[in-house]
Amino acid sequence: MRFNRMLLSTTLVIVALVVQVTVLARLQLPGAVPDLMLLVVLGLAFVYGHVSGAFIGFGAGLLADLAPPADHAAGRYALVLCLIGYLAGLAKPESGQLRSATGPMVVVVAAALGSTMLYAGVGALVGDTSARHVGIGGLLFTSALYDLLLAPFVVPLIMALARRAENDPLADTQSGGSDVASGWMSSGTGLSIGNQRGGLRLKAARSRAAKAGRIKGVKRL
């Protein structure tokens, strides 16, 4: 992984962990807790791909395993986020652009359900049966709901920051990831704000060139 990837990923993961522990975990919502760490891993995997997504997921999960007030075996959530980061990276758009909200929303829901089931499954293997007492069905529903509601505000921002750190031309031509925001908020309309602006600029340049040519022609006459 490049240094700027490592620096940005580490910073975002630490910030997400602090918010997760100090804010989201104290909301006392029914069922599961909104998983900001999961959304950060998804956003970075969408930009960096499956290999980096796996490494970032493992590091993020390991920090979550070690951060207080964690009461489970270390490495449990690291395994879960490593697999989620790898699989989410496989869904990385080939063009680097998200033009529809449908695909990312499906990935978020699948990741929320998958991470909850994997976490409960690994817990059952090591003798942790707390998920059975809470109710796995309620955990699955609330985790998918909370993450889906939080995702439009987190994932586009994470992707935009990742592109900036990569010096990706898409980040410059589309004004800080406007295609990402439009892809989430337009619900599949396929808006491309960056391309529209580029087309307007090209038309303006052609118009100025045509006017300059006419003026020179008049002066020669």
Side-chain angles (χ1 to χ4, degrees):
M1 293 176 64
R2 299 176 182 177
F3 176 75
N4 52 357
R5 287 190 181 186
M6 295 177 61
L7 181 61
L8 177 66
S9 301
T10 302
T11 302
L12 291 176
V13 166
I14 292 176
V15 171
L17 178 62
V18 172
V19 175
Q20 182 84 32
V21 174
T22 61
V23 178
L24 298 180
R26 299 175 182 272
L27 294 179
Q28 297 182 349
L29 297 172
V33 176
D35 198 340
L36 186 60
M37 297 280 285
L38 174 66
L39 298 179
V40 170
V41 171
L42 290 178
L44 293 174
F46 282 149
V47 177
Y48 295 151
H50 59 285
V51 176
S52 296
F55 280 108
I56 295 170
F58 179 81
L62 189 59
L63 284 178
D65 287 330
L66 299 177
D71 56 353
H72 55 268
R76 180 176 170 185
Y77 199 48
L79 174 62
V80 172
L81 284 189
C82 180
L83 293 175
I84 295 296
Y86 179 84
L87 295 176
L90 295 177
K92 174 185 176 181
E94 295 181 359
S95 63
Q97 296 175 296
L98 293 178
R99 298 182 180 277
S100 172
T102 305
M105 288 171 63
V106 171
V107 174
V108 169
V109 173
L113 296 176
S115 62
T116 303
M117 294 180 65
L118 284 172
Y119 187 81
V122 174
L125 292 177
V126 297
D128 184 0
T129 59
S130 59
R132 297 180 182 177
H133 302 291
V134 177
I136 188 64
L139 287 177
L140 290 173
F141 175 77
T142 53
S143 62
L145 177 62
Y146 296 153
D147 291 347
L148 189 59
L149 293 176
L150 190 60
F153 304 99
V154 176
V155 177
L157 176 61
I158 298 300
M159 293 183 66
L161 291 174
R163 285 181 175 175
R164 291 287 184 181
E166 287 285 283
N167 295 321
D168 192 336
L170 286 173
D172 296 328
T173 59
Q174 295 175 13
S175 303
S178 59
D179 71 302
V180 179
S182 64
W184 279 86
M185 305 307 291
S186 62
S187 298
T189 56
L191 296 179
S192 182
I193 298 175
N195 292 337
Q196 293 174 356
R197 290 180 177 175
L200 292 175
R201 291 176 182 173
L202 182 59
K203 290 180 181 179
R206 289 178 178 176
S207 178
R208 289 194 296 268
K211 290 181 180 179
R214 288 196 296 268
I215 293 174
K216 289 181 179 179
V218 173
K219 288 182 177 180
R220 289 176 181 178
L221 292 176

